[in-house]
Amino acid sequence: MNTKTLSVASIAQLLTAEHTRHQNTINLIASENYATAETRAPLASIAGTKYAEGYPGRRYYAGCAVVDEIERIAQQALLDLFVPKELQAEYHANVQPHAGSSANLAVYNGLLKPGDTILSMSLAHGGHLTHGHAVNLSGKTYAIVSYGVDPDTGLLNYDEIERLAQLHKPKLIIAGATAYSRTIDFARFGTIARSANAFLLADIAHIAGLIAGGCHPTPVGHADIITSTTHKTLRGPRGAFILCKKDLGGKVDLSIMPGTQGGPFMHAIAARAVAFLLAQEQSFGDYAKTVCSTAATLAHELQSRGYHIVSGGTDNHLFLVDLSKTPGLETLSGKEAEQLLEQAGIVLNRNAIPGDTRPPLTTSGIRIGLAAMVTRGAKPADMAQLATFIDTVLRRRETPTTGIDIRAFAHRFTVPA
Ligand code: DSN
């Protein structure tokens, strides 16, 4: 890096370049989305100046009257989004977590003691780092028992999860994944947790927007605590929230502040409020349904070209392609596929497939998500073309110079300014 690049102007130029990169490429990263300009506006607002440790009406700083109102709106909008009116008195909303990992850490810190047992999905089968992976604070602090998917079907085996819950009597069970393409049966998880006398945490980071949009069953009524990021299918700003049963609200609040965080980011809370309100509109429900139908169509189009999709398809916004079981591509790693596709203008991530024999930085799979491209206007009818692009690049193992125009396709779907 030379001194010329260490300038304010170079950051502005790089941000323009990042926008151009998005516009020139097809974004299939399952955890990304494009928040609307309305949602992003508060992020640059003066609310970011305000220190407001504490909660509305009980802050450790003066001058919080306005941000108190913002946070109360965010809390109520979150309840309205996920909890039916008649149940709202039983629930508590915390909109302060800076990220999904902060939300999960705060739940563990608030409800568990070091050494307590957590039953959660292993990262290798589609769980999340913060659900107890050995290198994460969660795995270092708690006794982790992992469940995975059935090796033949790629589906969660609820009987096996129940067996593990009865055997290990965890204090907490986590339902939630980053790479599971099928509907999660939160009702069954609730029954399993109650029979084991465990708390149930539903981490809905990937599917929050689908739940809000009415195309995935809700964990409300089944889980004691719900955590989520706000920027994936929910299409908000970066950040997170916790929804929990009222009797756990005090512990959760104290565990966020002062337990694991200091001052909340009031500009981010304002942006979360906008996202929670926009997600209540009919158009958001239509968006969520289109995400699911578009993902299902792309999975089907790839299957018809010989690709092995883990679990045979998708009910949500994402799916995993198992290259090791795709005839003709068995020797192609997820890393090589990711790189070939990026060179061609298709951006996604390599991902371990359940039972992967390759190391995590290499993998035998790729993960494909449609939330971002559907925000840009993609529809099921566009998926045959996209499947042909992916297939052509992976089978030729190079970017074709003739016959396909990925950049022109990407430009049909405008990235929000
Ligand atoms: N690692 C993120 C994902 O891509 O799913 C979740 O935090």
Side-chain angles (χ1 to χ4, degrees):
M1 181 145 310
N2 61 45
T3 49
K4 241 173 111 185
T5 63
L6 294 177
S7 67
V8 173
S10 68
I11 293 296
Q13 281 160 10
L14 286 167
L15 291 175
T16 302
E18 177 62 354
H19 191 274
T20 305
R21 183 192 69 78
H22 274 279
Q23 189 57 75
N24 285 343
T25 55
I26 298 165
N27 183 357
L28 299 179
I29 294 193
S31 44
E32 291 185 10
N33 208 336
Y34 300 99
T36 63
E38 221 176 347
T39 299
R40 286 183 283 123
L43 296 175
S45 74
I46 196 164
T49 298
K50 191 71 203 92
Y51 248 102
E53 278 173 22
Y55 291 94
R58 46 197 172 94
R59 304 282 190 186
Y60 291 85
Y61 293 80
C64 291
V66 176
V67 294
D68 274 5
E69 273 193 61
I70 290 172
E71 186 163 346
R72 285 196 180 104
I73 291 171
Q75 289 169 323
Q76 186 57 50
L78 176 60
L79 286 168
D80 289 345
L81 186 57
F82 288 107
V83 185
K85 279 273 179 232
E86 63 278 12
L87 294 181
Q88 287 188 2
E90 296 168 31
Y91 282 83
H92 175 77
N94 188 307
V95 295
Q96 293 193 1
H98 302 322
S101 47
S102 325
N104 286 343
L105 181 63
V107 169
Y108 309 150
N109 179 59
L111 303 188
L112 308 179
K113 289 196 283 299
D116 279 350
T117 301
I118 297 177
L119 175 60
S120 58
M121 192 171 188
S122 82
L123 182 69
H125 280 225
H128 191 250
L129 196 64
T130 62
H131 293 178
H133 194 277
V135 299
N136 186 262
L137 191 61
S138 54
K140 292 180 178 170
T141 310
Y142 305 101
I144 305 299
V145 179
S146 299
Y147 62 84
V149 294
D150 181 281
D152 297 323
T153 63
L155 299 173
L156 286 172
N157 178 342
Y158 294 93
D159 292 339
E160 174 63 4
I161 296 168
E162 183 164 32
R163 189 188 71 76
L164 291 170
Q166 289 303 329
L167 182 67
H168 296 282
K169 294 285 180 212
K171 186 97 183 276
L172 180 74
I173 297 176
I174 306 176
T178 64
Y180 185 66
S181 64
R182 294 303 188 173
T183 300
I184 295 177
D185 188 344
F186 291 119
R188 182 77 196 271
F189 264 111
T191 306
I192 294 170
R194 282 191 299 279
S195 72
N197 203 23
F199 290 117
L200 177 62
L201 164 63
D203 180 342
I204 61 168
H206 266 271
I207 56 174
L210 309 182
I211 293 168
C215 50
H216 189 290
T218 180
V220 169
H222 307 296
D224 304 286
I225 315 119
I226 298 165
T227 57
S228 183
T229 49
T230 45
H231 47 272
K232 298 187 177 89
T233 53
L234 194 52
R235 210 161 66 179
R238 294 301 281 250
F241 66 77
I242 303 173
L243 265 177
C244 62
K245 293 283 186 60
K246 201 96 179 184
D247 58 335
L248 300 176
K251 283 185 176 162
V252 162
D253 280 359
L254 281 174
S255 187
I256 285 285
M257 207 302 293
T260 53
Q261 290 189 177
F265 299 168
M266 299 314 301
H267 55 316
I269 289 175
R272 282 169 215 155
V274 174
F276 300 152
L277 291 164
L278 292 179
Q280 291 173 44
E281 294 183 357
Q282 179 57 45
S283 58
F284 188 83
D286 297 341
Y287 159 74
K289 289 175 187 75
T290 308
V291 168
C292 292
S293 58
T294 307
T297 305
L298 182 56
H300 178 75
E301 290 289 348
L302 286 169
Q303 269 172 329
S304 71
R305 289 162 178 77
Y307 287 79
H308 183 95
I309 310 298
V310 175
S311 89
T314 179
D315 302 324
N316 59 28
H317 62 303
L318 63 74
F319 56 90
L320 288 180
V321 178
D322 183 347
L323 297 163
S324 71
K325 289 193 186 138
T326 298
L329 295 180
E330 297 92 338
T331 59
L332 187 70
S333 71
K335 178 180 175 181
E336 289 165 322
E338 177 195 291
Q339 289 169 346
L340 284 167
L341 288 165
E342 182 174 12
Q343 281 156 19
I346 299 174
V347 182
L348 45 65
N349 69 288
R350 74 195 79 169
N351 213 103
I353 42 110
D356 211 323
T357 51
R358 289 190 170 102
L361 273 174
T362 312
T363 81
S364 301
I366 51 176
R367 186 179 67 161
I368 294 182
L370 272 300
M373 287 312 293
V374 172
T375 292
R376 285 167 60 177
K379 299 252 178 328
D382 303 306
M383 293 302 106
Q385 171 103 75
L386 183 50
T388 298
F389 290 159
I390 293 170
D391 186 41
T392 307
V393 172
L394 294 185
R395 292 203 187 275
R396 289 197 203 165
R397 300 202 182 197
E398 62 181 17
T399 305
T401 48
T402 54
I404 67 170
D405 192 343
I406 291 174
R407 184 173 289 205
F409 181 88
H411 274 258
R412 281 179 43 212
F413 306 106
T414 307
V415 174

